[in-house]
Amino acid sequence: AQSVTQLDSQVPVFEEAPVELRCNYSSSVSVYLFWYVQYPNQGLQLLLKYLSGSTLVESINGFEAEFNKSQTSFHLRKPSVHISDTAEYFCAVSFLGGATNKLIFGTGTLLAVQP
Amino acid sequence: GAVVSQHPSRVICKSGTSVKIECRSLDFQATTMFWYRQFPKKSLMLMATSNEGSKATYEQGVEKDKFLINHASLTLSTLTVTSAHPEDSSFYICSASFTLVGGYTFGSGTRLTVV
């Protein structure tokens, strides 16, 4: 079965501390992997994605994620968070090989950065 | 590039009426569009996938007679919520897939409130 799992519904962290948001998936086919961020009452913004090549991908605002095929994971990390990083983060997976490569989302993780 | 315009951003309608939500790709041709529904503090649930000129493919549990999807052109897809009820109140988001590998872009969402 194809699925996306974000085990942590909420991650509280103090400002300037490191953070890791976990994402695991289950698939029998190749995948593309994405992280999206959603601020309150707004749409989705693409944070970063893995399609192929280097397993470590970075965003322009300091986030990075590493594709681990053996562990079927794509965890999101940031070495030092800011108050402005407070938002809902969604991991999404595109399962390849079907008629349409639909994007399936995890349940989301609320990153709550505290001063 | 690859911008999707979704409107209205907010709509309030009376129970029993129908509401149409539009999603337009502004600078590219969207071969495939996806419609998602997001419940409060929940993830995005894929409702259906539509390809231009053909019938939409609905996910299990989604009523196709209630959520009518039309993808008449490569730049426009519409979702019509028919005979709306308060339980249909939700945040609806469209997404377009474009030819760039791993390319998905999202509309800004529509907040539907049925009273």
Side-chain angles (χ1 to χ4, degrees):
Chain A
Q2 299 171 339
S3 64
V4 184
T5 302
Q6 290 180 252
L7 288 174
D8 306 306
S9 60
Q10 185 169 345
V11 173
V13 63
F14 288 108
E15 193 173 19
E16 298 184 3
V19 71
E20 178 179 81
L21 306 184
R22 296 180 293 170
C23 174
N24 290 86
Y25 67 92
S26 174
S27 179
S28 58
V29 299
S30 298
V31 296
Y32 293 150
L33 301 160
F34 305 80
W35 275 99
Y36 288 88
V37 58
Q38 186 179 36
Y39 297 98
N41 298 312
Q42 293 187 26
L44 294 172
Q45 298 177 29
L46 177 65
L47 197 56
L48 46 75
K49 63 183 177 183
Y50 169 80
L51 305 181
S52 64
S54 173
T55 57
L56 184 65
V57 291
E58 300 175 348
S59 72
I60 58 174
N61 56 353
F63 284 94
E64 65 178 29
E66 186 162 20
F67 169 49
N68 188 319
K69 188 174 182 179
S70 63
Q71 296 186 2
T72 59
S73 68
F74 191 55
H75 301 331
L76 181 69
R77 296 187 291 262
K78 189 170 185 179
S80 176
V81 295
H82 302 290
I83 295 286
S84 60
D85 292 325
T86 294
E88 190 84 29
Y89 291 80
F90 293 98
C91 178
V93 180
S94 176
F95 299 95
L96 308 180
T100 57
N101 296 331
K102 55 188 180 184
L103 199 58
I104 303 300
F105 285 82
T107 49
T109 298
L110 174 62
L111 176 61
V113 182
Q114 305 164 8
Chain B
V3 175
V4 167
S5 174
Q6 182 176 346
H7 72 92
S9 57
R10 291 178 180 271
V11 59
I12 300 173
C13 71
K14 290 186 177 180
S15 188
T17 63
S18 295
V19 174
K20 180 184 285 188
I21 302 170
E22 289 191 351
C23 184
R24 292 181 183 273
S25 57
L26 298 185
D27 50 3
F28 68 101
Q29 293 182 330
T31 53
T32 304
M33 285 193 174
F34 306 92
W35 286 94
Y36 293 86
R37 178 175 180 176
Q38 186 178 30
F39 294 94
K41 300 188 186 298
K42 296 289 185 182
S43 185
L44 283 79
M45 180 192 77
L46 179 64
M47 299 174 66
T49 303
S50 71
N51 292 296
E52 183 264 339
S54 62
K55 288 184 178 180
T57 302
Y58 289 82
E59 296 297 307
Q60 192 172 7
V62 178
E63 300 176 62
K64 55 184 171 183
D65 293 332
K66 181 162 191 63
F67 299 100
L68 299 180
I69 292 172
N70 184 281
H71 194 163
S73 76
L74 285 171
T75 59
L76 175 64
S77 178
T78 61
L79 166 67
T80 302
V81 183
T82 63
S83 186
H85 292 286
E87 57 265 30
D88 298 327
S89 298
S90 196
F91 193 55
Y92 293 88
I93 304 175
C94 68
S95 173
S97 168
F98 49 101
T99 53
L100 181 65
V101 171
Y104 300 91
T105 187
F106 288 81
S108 54
T110 298
R111 173 75 59 193
L112 171 64
T113 303
V114 184
V115 298

Coordinates of all heavy atoms in Angstrom, one line a residue, chain A residues 3 5 17 19 21 26 28 30-31 35-36 39 41 51 54 57 60-61 66 72 75 77 83-84 96 102 104 107:
Chain A
S3 N 1.5 5.0 1.2 CA 1.1 5.9 2.3 C 2.2 6.8 2.7 O 3.3 6.6 2.3 CB 0.6 5.1 3.5 OG 1.7 4.3 4.0
T5 N 3.5 9.0 6.1 CA 3.3 9.1 7.6 C 4.1 10.2 8.2 O 5.3 10.3 8.0 CB 3.6 7.8 8.3 OG1 2.8 6.7 7.7 CG2 3.4 7.9 9.8
A17 N 17.0 26.8 18.4 CA 17.3 25.4 18.6 C 17.1 24.6 17.3 O 16.4 25.1 16.4 CB 16.3 24.8 19.6
V19 N 15.8 21.5 14.8 CA 14.5 20.8 14.8 C 14.6 19.7 13.6 O 15.3 19.9 12.6 CB 13.3 21.7 14.5 CG1 13.3 22.3 13.1 CG2 12.0 21.0 14.8
L21 N 11.7 17.3 11.6 CA 10.3 16.9 11.4 C 10.3 15.6 10.5 O 10.9 15.6 9.5 CB 9.5 17.9 10.6 CG 9.5 19.3 11.2 CD1 8.6 20.3 10.4 CD2 9.1 19.3 12.7
S26 N 5.5 4.6 2.4 CA 5.5 3.2 2.1 C 5.1 3.1 0.6 O 4.1 3.7 0.1 CB 4.4 2.5 2.9 OG 4.3 1.1 2.4
S28 N 5.8 0.7 -3.3 CA 6.5 -0.4 -4.1 C 7.0 0.1 -5.4 O 7.6 -0.6 -6.2 CB 5.5 -1.5 -4.4 OG 4.3 -1.0 -5.0
S30 N 8.8 3.8 -7.5 CA 9.7 4.9 -7.3 C 8.8 6.1 -6.9 O 7.6 6.2 -7.2 CB 10.5 5.3 -8.6 OG 11.3 4.2 -8.9
V31 N 9.5 7.1 -6.2 CA 8.7 8.2 -5.7 C 9.5 9.5 -5.9 O 10.7 9.5 -6.1 CB 8.5 8.1 -4.1 CG1 7.6 6.9 -3.8 CG2 9.8 8.0 -3.4
W35 N 8.4 18.6 0.5 CA 7.9 19.3 1.8 C 7.3 20.6 1.4 O 7.8 21.4 0.7 CB 9.1 19.5 2.7 CG 9.5 18.3 3.6 CD1 10.5 17.4 3.4 CD2 8.8 17.9 4.8 NE1 10.5 16.5 4.4 CE2 9.5 16.8 5.3 CE3 7.7 18.4 5.6 CZ2 9.1 16.1 6.5 CZ3 7.4 17.8 6.7 CH2 8.0 16.6 7.2
Y36 N 6.1 20.8 2.0 CA 5.4 22.0 1.8 C 5.1 22.7 3.2 O 5.0 22.0 4.2 CB 4.0 21.8 1.2 CG 4.0 21.4 -0.3 CD1 4.2 20.1 -0.7 CD2 4.0 22.4 -1.3 CE1 4.2 19.8 -2.0 CE2 4.0 22.1 -2.6 CZ 4.1 20.7 -3.0 OH 4.2 20.4 -4.3
Y39 N 1.2 28.5 6.1 CA 1.0 29.5 7.2 C -0.5 29.7 7.4 O -1.3 29.4 6.5 CB 1.7 30.8 6.8 CG 3.2 30.7 6.7 CD1 3.8 30.5 5.5 CD2 4.0 30.6 7.9 CE1 5.2 30.4 5.4 CE2 5.4 30.5 7.7 CZ 6.0 30.3 6.5 OH 7.3 30.1 6.4
N41 N -4.2 30.3 7.5 CA -5.2 30.8 6.5 C -4.5 31.1 5.1 O -5.0 32.0 4.4 CB -5.8 32.1 7.0 CG -6.6 31.8 8.3 OD1 -7.4 30.8 8.3 ND2 -6.4 32.5 9.3
L51 N 13.8 14.8 -6.5 CA 13.4 14.1 -7.7 C 14.4 13.0 -8.0 O 14.0 11.8 -8.4 CB 13.2 15.0 -8.8 CG 12.2 16.2 -8.6 CD1 12.1 17.1 -9.8 CD2 10.8 15.7 -8.2
S54 N 21.4 14.0 -5.9 CA 21.8 14.0 -4.5 C 20.7 13.8 -3.6 O 19.6 14.4 -3.7 CB 22.5 15.4 -4.3 OG 22.8 15.6 -2.9
V57 N 18.7 17.6 -0.1 CA 18.2 18.8 -0.8 C 18.0 19.9 0.2 O 17.7 19.7 1.4 CB 16.9 18.5 -1.5 CG1 17.2 17.6 -2.7 CG2 15.9 17.9 -0.6
I60 N 16.0 27.6 0.4 CA 16.7 28.9 0.5 C 16.6 29.5 1.9 O 17.4 30.4 2.2 CB 16.1 29.9 -0.5 CG1 14.6 30.1 -0.3 CG2 16.3 29.5 -2.0 CD1 14.0 31.2 -1.1
N61 N 15.7 29.0 2.7 CA 15.6 29.6 4.1 C 16.2 28.6 5.1 O 15.8 28.7 6.3 CB 14.2 29.9 4.4 CG 13.2 28.7 4.2 OD1 13.6 27.7 3.8 ND2 12.0 28.9 4.6
E66 N 16.8 14.9 3.7 CA 17.6 13.9 3.1 C 16.7 12.7 2.8 O 16.0 12.2 3.7 CB 18.7 13.5 4.1 CG 19.7 12.5 3.4 CD 21.0 12.4 4.2 OE1 21.1 12.8 5.3 OE2 22.0 12.0 3.6
T72 N 13.1 4.5 3.9 CA 11.9 5.1 3.3 C 11.5 6.4 4.0 O 10.4 6.5 4.5 CB 10.7 4.1 3.1 OG1 10.4 3.6 4.4 CG2 11.1 3.0 2.2
H75 N 13.2 13.1 6.1 CA 13.0 14.0 7.3 C 13.5 15.4 7.0 O 14.5 15.6 6.3 CB 13.8 13.4 8.5 CG 13.4 12.0 8.9 ND1 12.1 11.6 8.7 CD2 14.1 11.0 9.5 CE1 12.0 10.4 9.2 NE2 13.2 10.0 9.7
R77 N 14.9 19.0 8.3 CA 15.7 19.5 9.4 C 16.1 21.0 9.2 O 16.2 21.5 8.1 CB 17.0 18.7 9.6 CG 16.8 17.3 9.9 CD 18.2 16.6 10.2 NE 19.0 16.5 9.0 CZ 19.1 15.4 8.3 NH1 18.4 14.3 8.6 NH2 19.8 15.3 7.2
I83 N 11.2 32.3 15.1 CA 9.8 32.4 15.4 C 9.0 32.4 14.1 O 7.9 31.8 14.0 CB 9.5 33.8 16.1 CG1 10.2 33.8 17.5 CG2 8.0 34.0 16.3 CD1 9.5 32.9 18.5
S84 N 9.5 33.0 13.0 CA 8.8 33.0 11.8 C 8.6 31.7 11.1 O 7.9 31.6 10.1 CB 9.5 34.0 10.8 OG 10.8 33.6 10.6
L96 N 5.2 7.1 -8.5 CA 5.4 7.1 -10.0 C 4.9 5.8 -10.6 O 4.7 4.8 -10.0 CB 6.8 7.4 -10.3 CG 7.5 8.6 -9.6 CD1 8.9 8.7 -10.0 CD2 6.7 9.8 -10.0
K102 N -0.3 11.4 -8.9 CA -1.0 12.2 -7.9 C -0.1 12.3 -6.7 O 0.7 11.5 -6.3 CB -2.4 11.6 -7.5 CG -2.3 10.2 -7.1 CD -3.8 9.6 -7.0 CE -3.8 8.2 -6.5 NZ -5.1 7.6 -6.5
I104 N 0.2 12.7 -2.7 CA -0.4 12.3 -1.5 C 0.3 12.9 -0.3 O 1.5 12.9 -0.2 CB -0.4 10.8 -1.3 CG1 -1.1 10.1 -2.5 CG2 -1.2 10.4 0.0 CD1 -2.5 10.5 -2.7
T107 N -0.1 13.8 7.3 CA -1.1 14.5 8.1 C -0.6 15.8 8.6 O -1.4 16.5 9.3 CB -1.5 13.6 9.3 OG1 -0.3 13.1 9.9 CG2 -2.3 12.4 8.8

